Amino acid sequence: MSAPRIGLSATALEPGLADARQDGIARYTQALLDELPAAGCAVRPLSFAPPGAPACLRVGRALPLSFALASIGDLILPASARLAVRELGQDGQPLDLFHATDHRIVRMDCPVVATLHDALPIAHPAWCAPRRRRLQNWLLVKAARKADHVIALSQHAVPELVGAYGIDERRVSVVHPGVAPAWFDAPGADAVAATLQRHGLRPGYFLCVATLEPRKNLAHLLQAYLALPPVVRAARQLLIVGQAGWDSAPLAQRIAAARQQGEQVLWLAGVPEQDELRQLYAGAGAFALPALHARAGLAMLEALAAGVPVLCAAGGALAELAGGAALEADPLSVPEWTAALHAIVRDEALRARCVAAGQRRALELTQAEMARRTLAVYQSILTQ
């Protein structure tokens, strides 16, 4: 079979169009854009741009209509109507398929694959901002059903996507996310030391990289950390790296209160550039993420690749992605998390097993492997 010609949604990569809250989607899209050509695809990045914006696009070219206009057309035109995109391929060759990497899904004149990262607004509305929720949920369901095939990022996510969007489970494939090659290379010791000094950190701290929002369950992590013996807290700081998300004020206040009481809890509000982030991972003694719901779990995969022992929530997508390489604890049990935090820094044999198993697992979940499995999904559709 010749190399399929794929139109790849690049809206999340365009600085003037992307939603700052879609950083994970942007990274996922960029990884596919980087790796699919090596896997055997001809890729054309395409974006939904409002009128007047195409000249500002940096990554690819504009689709014929904005997403708003294309969506209205889907609502009022007969089902046979399709957005004309096939002729947007390169070198005069039409597209074989379009891959929507975010929620912007419309009917097109070629097959459409959509990656559905979650169904949070529908399945777990309490974890999402309530503004315009009903309309947004209705539009999300309508959009999801327009895809000819769906990619889920974990097997754990499939029942939620099927139940929330009403899609046929037979049209869903699981392709785990992938970690970038740079995470397997240790950064220089001098650079790590300089970064730690700049942030007032000592090597061996507990690290969590996550947006501050209720579903990440970071309040439980803070509570579990504060329940550790004083001698452990004196030796091991807790560093949380991530942007302030929806309903983050209560947690920010608890972090501030802990610091006022002399606890060694630090919050870096915002995600540094990748080099600095890798240096923060390199200085960590353990990575901990008790999330109640995870989309891609990319921060955890990066910790596995970087050789940091990982503690994650049991029973969900994070445990699935870790594949037995992480120490797991019930995310609803603060005492269990306290015990696990203590064990992962006290038991050197446990740490060594987690590091070795984590790096083996990360080698199975690279960006290149994600691209190869995504190509297999394309081929299965194009050969039907």
Side-chain angles (χ1 to χ4, degrees):
M1 181 179 179
S2 61
R5 297 177 292 275
I6 307 301
L8 186 71
S9 172
T11 311
L13 297 176
E14 297 291 353
L17 304 177
D19 186 332
R21 295 168 297 179
Q22 291 186 320
D23 178 64
I25 295 176
R27 294 169 72 189
Y28 171 80
T29 303
Q30 187 65 59
L32 289 176
L33 190 59
D34 292 341
E35 298 290 346
L36 280 173
C41 290
V43 181
R44 185 68 179 269
L46 299 165
S47 296
F48 283 108
C56 301
L57 298 183
R58 298 182 185 179
V59 180
R61 63 177 295 183
L63 287 158
L65 295 175
S66 68
F67 179 63
L69 289 175
S71 298
I72 291 171
D74 273 356
L75 292 173
I76 65 175
L77 295 175
S80 58
R82 295 285 190 271
L83 183 65
V85 301
R86 285 183 59 85
E87 298 310 314
L88 297 179
Q90 295 167 305
D91 301 323
Q93 298 297 313
L95 296 176
D96 294 313
L97 179 148
F98 184 84
H99 185 172
T101 58
D102 56 23
H103 65 276
R104 301 174 181 91
I105 309 164
V106 300
R107 295 192 299 262
M108 295 181 171
D109 62 353
C110 65
V112 175
V113 171
T115 298
L116 298 183
H117 297 262
D118 61 49
L120 272 175
I122 301 166
H124 304 284
W127 292 340
C128 301
R131 187 166 58 95
R132 298 194 305 275
R133 183 183 291 157
R134 182 174 297 179
L135 174 61
Q136 289 173 336
N137 288 355
W138 182 76
L139 290 172
L140 279 172
V141 171
K142 297 286 284 186
R145 292 177 180 175
K146 295 166 191 168
D148 298 285
H149 200 84
V150 166
I151 290 176
L153 298 182
S154 69
Q155 193 63 50
H156 187 81
V158 173
E160 179 178 297
L161 297 175
V162 169
Y165 294 121
I167 54 180
D168 187 342
E169 187 171 354
R170 293 170 297 182
R171 295 193 295 111
V172 181
S173 297
V174 174
V175 177
H176 289 139
V179 64
W183 287 94
F184 293 93
D185 299 325
D190 290 345
V192 173
T195 293
L196 267 57
Q197 183 178 27
R198 185 165 62 254
H199 293 295
L201 293 164
R202 301 185 305 276
Y205 45 84
F206 295 105
L207 172 65
C208 179
V209 178
T211 302
L212 273 65
E213 54 188 346
R215 68 186 178 90
K216 298 299 177 65
N217 202 29
L218 302 189
H220 273 56
L221 175 60
L222 175 61
Q223 191 176 349
Y225 171 80
L226 295 176
L228 286 167
V231 66
V232 177
R233 301 201 309 277
R236 307 269 182 177
Q237 299 157 294
L238 172 62
L239 172 63
I240 298 172
V241 179
Q243 298 176 349
W246 175 71
D247 199 23
S248 62
L251 177 59
Q253 292 167 1
R254 293 180 67 174
I255 293 172
R259 288 182 59 81
Q260 289 175 355
Q261 294 170 5
E263 297 291 347
Q264 300 190 81
V265 181
L266 297 88
W267 172 32
L268 296 184
V271 179
E273 294 296 323
Q274 187 180 57
D275 285 347
E276 184 177 357
L277 191 58
R278 288 176 56 227
Q279 292 153 12
L280 291 172
Y281 275 75
F287 179 93
L289 184 57
L292 299 170
H293 189 286
R295 289 188 175 110
L298 194 53
M300 183 192 72
L301 296 183
E302 290 166 348
L304 295 175
V308 182
V310 168
L311 170 58
C312 75
L318 291 176
E320 175 187 334
L321 292 170
L327 183 63
E328 300 174 19
D330 181 351
L332 298 178
S333 172
V334 171
E336 191 171 322
W337 266 79
T338 299
L341 288 170
H342 201 181
I344 207 164
V345 297
R346 182 190 62 214
D347 188 334
E348 288 299 327
L350 173 64
R351 288 172 51 79
R353 289 197 300 272
C354 286
V355 168
Q359 290 187 309
R360 288 195 300 270
R361 179 58 172 164
L363 287 170
E364 298 172 352
L365 297 174
T366 62
Q367 289 183 348
E369 178 61 21
M370 179 182 73
R372 284 193 289 270
R373 295 189 62 190
T374 302
L375 171 59
V377 174
Y378 299 158
Q379 291 172 329
S380 70
I381 295 163
L382 295 174
T383 55
Q384 287 179 354

